[in-house]
Amino acid sequence: MTAPVDATSHLINLRTVSKEYAMGDNRIRALDDVSLTIARGEFVSVMGPSGSGKSTLMNIIGCLDTPSAGSYRLDGQDVGRLGRDELARIRNRTIGFVFQGFNLLARTSALENVALPLLYSGSRAEERYSRAREALATVGLADREHHHPNQLSGGQQQRVTIARAIVNQAPVILADEPTGNLDSATGIEIMNLFVRLNREAGITVIVVTHEREIAQYGRRLIKFRDGRIVSDAELAP
Amino acid sequence: MISPASTLTIALRALRANKMRSSLTMLGIIIGVAAVIAMLSIGAAARQRIADEINSMGSNLLIVFSGSTSSGGARMGTGTDPTISLEDVEAMLRECPSVLDAAPMHSGSAQIVYGNRNWSTGIIGTTASVLHINAWEMLHGRAFTPQDERYSAKVCLLGMTVADELFGAIDPVGRIVRIKHVPFRVLGVLKPKGQSMTGQDQDDVVYVPITTAQRKLFGGTLPGMVRFVMVKATGLHALDQAEQEIVALLRHRHRIGPGQTDDFTVRNLTQMMQIAITLANIMTILLGAIASISLLVGGIGIMNIMLVSVTERTREIGIRIAVGAKTWDIRLQFIMEAMTLSLIGGLIGIVLGQAGSIGLCMAAGLPVHVSAAGIALSFGFSAAVGIFFGYYPAHKASLLNPIDALRYE
Ligand SMILES: Nc1ncnc2c1ncn2[C@@H]1O[C@H](COP(=O)(O)OP(=O)(O)O)[C@@H](O)[C@H]1O
Ligand SMILES: [Mg+2]
């Protein structure tokens, strides 16, 4: 049932990763002994009921959080040993996030929003804006660069987020319920954009969803329940 | 690492997004800095004024008062009869080698009348030496001669204020005025000297020869005696020497035995000025300290607003951290915001404080004083206020957990 992996090209490698949260006297085990490898260029869908630990998994893969136990290697590097700023650097260079709630800066143009990661990698202004324009063109929003988030539709906002995720040429896009706030037609547009980025740019895409139709866009499906992987299989194209 | 220019851009944009709040926060700093600047420069002006006065009086002056001093150093009450005679003054000039010049001073007040105009003013009986000692100059006419003094001539010198009040545009030299119904010829008018440190008009005065004052105007007191003597020593270093010589001379002439207290008091003007300067300094420090409190309150205002701002912008901070902002990127962003507030506030405060102090100094007749050091200090101080009060909120922002921050409503 496990997906075929090429040991040399493991981009993401989790070994017996657990994550516990303390809730008063209780301890919640959001991730329970999860082992998982994802190779460069994969398109993985993660499905599971609410509270099953999908977001927790994404946060750990995205270096926003660190495991309570187990090890996580990203591109050969042991992430568990890294400090706050080193994790920030990895998020900046390696990970592109797409959130359900978009998470764009308000009162800030699409262009500035897309250029944000480049600001923190120290690029000069001209380079930031030329690359942000390219990224906006890739997601089909070349004509909206001066619009603020509240002047854009949900689908357009999500495409701005995707442009922000690819602007620094990060090899991984992590999308946590990217279509959750969108109507189904717009959701399909967004998923097609991921498919295109995965096929044409070779970007590794991991999408969390609880909708079967959305999960179908991936080529590998991981099912989650109670912090554990219950199935992991290739999907027919 | 993000560049300082970009950080400044972000800070300015954030401050512009909340114009009202930013201006009100700045107002605290503006008031604080303006108050500090105003207090410091007014203090500096007062000190400058005292120093100028010392220099203009000549720093090698002594004053010998009739009568002994009370323990506090103040002269005894006016009931005391003068104990220094004109002969004492002549003896000082003759026998004290460290005394360059001495002017006996005997003062009272009276009405002075010219035609149908009259004016109440201070009358000082003295000699022409008072002009040399104080480096006063005549504007019109001439000073007394020794003959005027010897023969108690009914002549007088007018201060500018008195000349203006009695004569207006008319040239007073050679005209006859009446003091206590006695006719006096005006010999000359003194150059205006302006206000004294205590705010008195030093030009509202009339000088007459000492003997004239004693015999024709203020005969009530013991004849031939004076209230005080202004003494100029031969140099700054001769001041103590001159004082000793005068004390020895007067004790001898007044037959004061060992152990008995002097019936006169010698005061060193420089010492008196030093005391005044010390008082001015203490006032400056006190006022400056009070003003600094308002700057402190302004700083706390900045801290308060920055804390509110960090809370409000939790989500923004989360987004920035998620896409790769490092601890110092976030910290600098908020410190820069606080510093921008305090520096712009500081600059406006400096301008207002300086303008205010110039206005106040001009109104109070003090020399206008612009202290570059004070401005630099306030500028540095407002930057420091921004950093100090911005640091904690900035630090708090930089340590936010990105997951919680992104979920923050
Ligand atoms: N910061 C947290 N503190 C405490 N419990 C948490 C926290 N984050 C997540 N959890 C818990 O961990 C479990 C998994 O949550 P999550 O990964 O968000 O699930 P999903 O994304 O699959 O809905 C849930 O029971 C949730 O309540
Ligand atoms: Mg979730």
Side-chain angles (χ1 to χ4, degrees), chain A residues 80-98:
Chain A
R81 296 178 189 281
L82 300 180
R84 196 179 161 95
D85 284 351
E86 289 162 313
L87 291 176
R89 189 185 154 81
I90 291 184
R91 288 196 298 274
N92 185 251
R93 306 291 165 104
T94 315
I95 313 283
F97 289 101
V98 178

Side-chain angles (χ1 to χ4, degrees), chain A:
Chain A
M1 287 254 287
T2 45
V5 284
D6 171 4
T8 54
S9 63
H10 286 165
L11 184 61
I12 290 162
N13 189 348
L14 290 94
R15 298 228 324 251
T16 60
V17 164
S18 296
K19 181 72 187 178
E20 287 191 344
Y21 292 109
M23 288 287 281
D25 290 340
N26 294 10
R27 300 189 71 78
I28 293 172
R29 216 168 164 79
L31 284 185
D32 190 3
D33 245 2
V34 172
S35 292
L36 173 66
T37 51
I38 293 171
R40 208 174 281 279
E42 282 199 72
F43 190 140
V44 182
S45 297
V46 179
M47 273 187 83
S50 185
S52 58
K54 306 182 297 293
S55 293
T56 306
L57 176 73
M58 293 295 260
N59 289 340
I60 285 177
I61 293 176
C63 296
L64 282 168
D65 209 348
T66 46
S68 316
S71 79
Y72 170 35
R73 298 179 86 82
L74 174 62
D75 209 5
Q77 194 167 24
D78 189 350
V79 169
R81 296 178 189 281
L82 300 180
R84 196 179 161 95
D85 284 351
E86 289 162 313
L87 291 176
R89 189 185 154 81
I90 291 184
R91 288 196 298 274
N92 185 251
R93 306 291 165 104
T94 315
I95 313 283
F97 289 101
V98 178
F99 303 95
Q100 176 176 1
F102 317 135
N103 280 329
L104 293 168
L105 296 182
R107 293 187 301 257
T108 305
S109 70
L111 188 69
E112 296 273 2
N113 262 296
V114 172
L116 195 62
L118 299 172
L119 189 66
Y120 294 110
S121 49
S123 309
R124 295 190 313 128
E126 309 152 36
E127 192 194 343
R128 288 206 300 271
Y129 294 126
S130 75
R131 281 171 64 180
R133 279 195 189 95
E134 265 175 52
L136 275 173
T138 305
V139 300
L141 284 179
D143 54 343
R144 295 286 195 276
E145 61 177 56
H146 296 302
H147 287 57
H148 288 195
N150 61 358
Q151 298 164 326
L152 294 169
S153 72
Q156 287 171 331
Q157 288 185 59
Q158 197 59 299
R159 281 193 278 162
V160 173
T161 316
I162 294 169
R164 184 179 67 191
I166 62 174
V167 75
N168 219 0
Q169 273 135 24
V172 184
I173 289 181
L174 301 179
D176 194 347
E177 311 211 23
T179 60
N181 283 5
L182 305 176
D183 61 73
S184 54
T186 315
I188 288 168
E189 275 176 37
I190 294 298
M191 290 316 292
N192 281 325
L193 187 51
F194 283 135
V195 169
R196 215 181 80 212
L197 289 170
N198 174 251
R199 290 222 181 103
E200 292 172 9
I203 296 174
T204 309
V205 179
I206 307 175
V207 174
V208 164
T209 181
H210 51 251
E211 294 171 70
R212 177 151 295 281
E213 307 81 68
I214 296 297
Q216 293 305 322
Y217 286 84
R219 282 184 281 147
R220 174 178 170 191
L221 176 64
I222 296 174
K223 287 189 176 167
F224 242 76
R225 184 181 299 274
D226 296 333
R228 290 168 177 273
I229 295 176
V230 291
S231 76
D232 184 350
E234 268 197 275
L235 285 174

Side-chain angles (χ1 to χ4, degrees), chain B residues 148-169:
Chain B
D148 293 331
E149 287 154 20
R150 192 167 318 134
Y151 300 116
S152 309
K154 288 180 276 185
V155 292
C156 66
L157 308 178
L158 303 184
M160 195 63 199
T161 307
V162 180
D164 284 344
E165 290 296 337
L166 288 183
F167 292 94

Side-chain angles (χ1 to χ4, degrees), chain B residues 175-254:
Chain B
R175 304 204 182 251
I176 305 294
V177 295
R178 281 169 188 280
I179 305 171
K180 286 195 169 178
H181 307 295
V182 181
F184 279 78
R185 194 154 53 85
V186 177
L187 286 184
V189 178
L190 283 123
K191 258 196 187 169
K193 302 185 284 277
Q195 282 185 346
S196 75
M197 263 185 311
T198 46
Q200 276 175 328
D201 180 359
Q202 299 185 96
D203 302 315
D204 189 5
V205 69
V206 174
Y207 295 96
V208 299
I210 179 76
T211 48
T212 315
Q214 289 175 327
R215 292 181 196 147
K216 313 251 156 71
L217 294 176
F218 310 115
T221 48
L222 286 176
M225 304 303 255
V226 296
R227 289 203 191 282
F228 64 98
V229 186
M230 231 180 218
V231 176
K232 184 166 192 159
T234 49
L236 192 58
H237 304 294
L239 266 180
D240 290 342
Q241 180 64 29
E243 182 170 345
Q244 283 165 20
E245 289 167 6
I246 290 167
V247 169
L249 176 84
L250 290 183
R251 282 181 75 89
H252 174 73
R253 289 180 61 91
H254 295 182

